[in-house]
Amino acid sequence: MILFASPLEQFEVVSIIALNSQLFSFNWAFTNVSLYALLTLGLIVALHYFSYNELRLVPSRWSVGLESANATVHNLVKDQIGTANELYFPFIYGIFFFVLFSSLIGNVAYSFAIGTSAVVSLGLSVTIFIGVTVLAINKHEWTFFSFFVPGGTPLVMVPMLALVELISYLARALSLGVRLFSNLVAGHTLLKILSGFIYPILVSGPLMFLVGLLPMTLFTALIGLEIAVSFIQAYVFCILTSSYLKDAIDLH
């Protein structure tokens, strides 16, 4: 009998180091989320350190790749935000590499994708939403609330449209995180289910091994698709964040 583990088991947050204090009711845990977040940060720093090109006449491949990523994100921010892009570019740049590297690490076998944690994805989304809202209120003060009343709206329709616009605006607090979370969870769950079916076929004998080569090929293609999704999710996340910043700056 072959027993399959739950495909959702890979998303479990596991405590690695736990410190509990009954005196101050203090509970602190270093989990796999914390570990992979630090690993993501370390890889980002390492990439930028080894891609440093100021002392070289001929740039390395890593340097060229990093400069291409820099130009891509800069053009994205410039197209979305406009003249104020230089002020917010470092913020979007950091988000891009954090989302990208955390997703790519999650594609490594037996690793953990921190984007599949609702706390991380929604926490990042809500934090960005709060920051954008504070920026808008600080910049426009009371004029900010005109964002919820489209120009030329009849007075009798103002309460209804204001409520609709408010709900639409508050949905931004979740939309970024839910999009990232759902795509990563769906992709990793599918890969887990397929691997659970393909592995028993491959180890059932020479004939079944040959039969299993076709689904294995499809499985490999799906892994490539998940890697592409990691780049797409990081890019889309940054586009939407830049769009929200644009709205906060111009109240459009």
Side-chain angles (χ1 to χ4, degrees):
M1 179 181 293
I2 300 174
L3 298 178
F4 296 98
S6 170
L8 302 180
E9 206 174 84
Q10 58 183 315
F11 308 128
E12 182 180 357
V13 177
V14 180
S15 177
I16 300 175
I17 303 174
L19 296 177
N20 300 317
S21 174
Q22 296 181 351
L23 179 62
F24 300 103
S25 299
F26 174 78
N27 296 305
W28 180 87
F30 184 80
T31 65
N32 51 348
V33 175
S34 307
L35 175 63
Y36 280 93
L38 290 177
L39 177 60
T40 300
L41 176 61
L43 289 177
I44 293 173
V45 172
L47 171 65
H48 286 76
Y49 176 80
F50 289 108
S51 299
Y52 184 72
N53 196 47
E54 292 297 326
L55 303 179
R56 298 177 181 176
L57 181 62
V58 179
S60 65
R61 294 181 179 179
W62 290 104
S63 179
V64 172
L66 186 61
E67 289 178 5
S68 299
N70 186 297
T72 300
V73 177
H74 184 267
N75 289 333
L76 181 156
V77 178
K78 186 177 180 180
D79 292 341
Q80 292 292 324
I81 299 180
T83 56
N85 68 86
E86 296 295 340
L87 182 61
Y88 303 101
F89 170 69
F91 173 63
I92 303 298
Y93 185 82
I95 290 177
F96 175 82
F97 274 96
F98 179 80
V99 175
L100 174 61
F101 271 62
S102 62
S103 300
L104 289 176
I105 291 173
N107 290 317
V108 179
Y110 303 106
S111 64
F112 181 80
I114 61 177
T116 58
S117 170
V119 173
V120 175
S121 296
L122 295 180
L124 185 61
S125 177
V126 171
T127 301
I128 292 173
F129 170 78
I130 293 174
V132 168
T133 302
V134 170
L135 171 66
I137 294 176
N138 182 65
K139 184 176 180 63
H140 301 284
E141 298 181 346
W142 291 104
T143 310
F144 164 75
F145 295 97
S146 65
F147 185 80
F148 304 107
V149 182
T153 303
L155 186 61
V156 68
M157 297 185 65
V158 167
M160 182 179 66
L161 286 180
L163 179 61
V164 172
E165 291 293 333
L166 177 62
I167 294 174
S168 176
Y169 183 78
L170 293 177
R172 294 181 175 186
L174 302 177
S175 61
L176 281 174
V178 169
R179 181 180 287 104
L180 177 63
F181 171 80
S182 59
N183 278 283
L184 291 178
V185 168
H188 284 69
T189 302
L190 176 61
L191 290 179
K192 178 68 174 181
I193 293 173
L194 290 178
S195 63
F197 282 107
I198 294 174
Y199 177 76
I201 296 175
L202 294 176
V203 298
S204 296
L207 180 60
M208 295 304 295
F209 178 83
L210 294 177
V211 173
L213 289 180
L214 177 58
M216 187 61 190
T217 302
L218 297 176
F219 180 77
T220 305
L222 285 175
I223 294 177
L225 179 62
E226 279 299 299
I227 294 175
V229 166
S230 300
F231 286 88
I232 294 171
Q233 286 300 313
Y235 191 78
V236 171
F237 199 98
C238 290
I239 285 180
L240 293 176
T241 303
S242 300
S243 176
Y244 296 162
L245 283 170
K246 175 66 173 177
D247 290 342
I249 297 169
D250 297 337
L251 286 184
H252 288 168

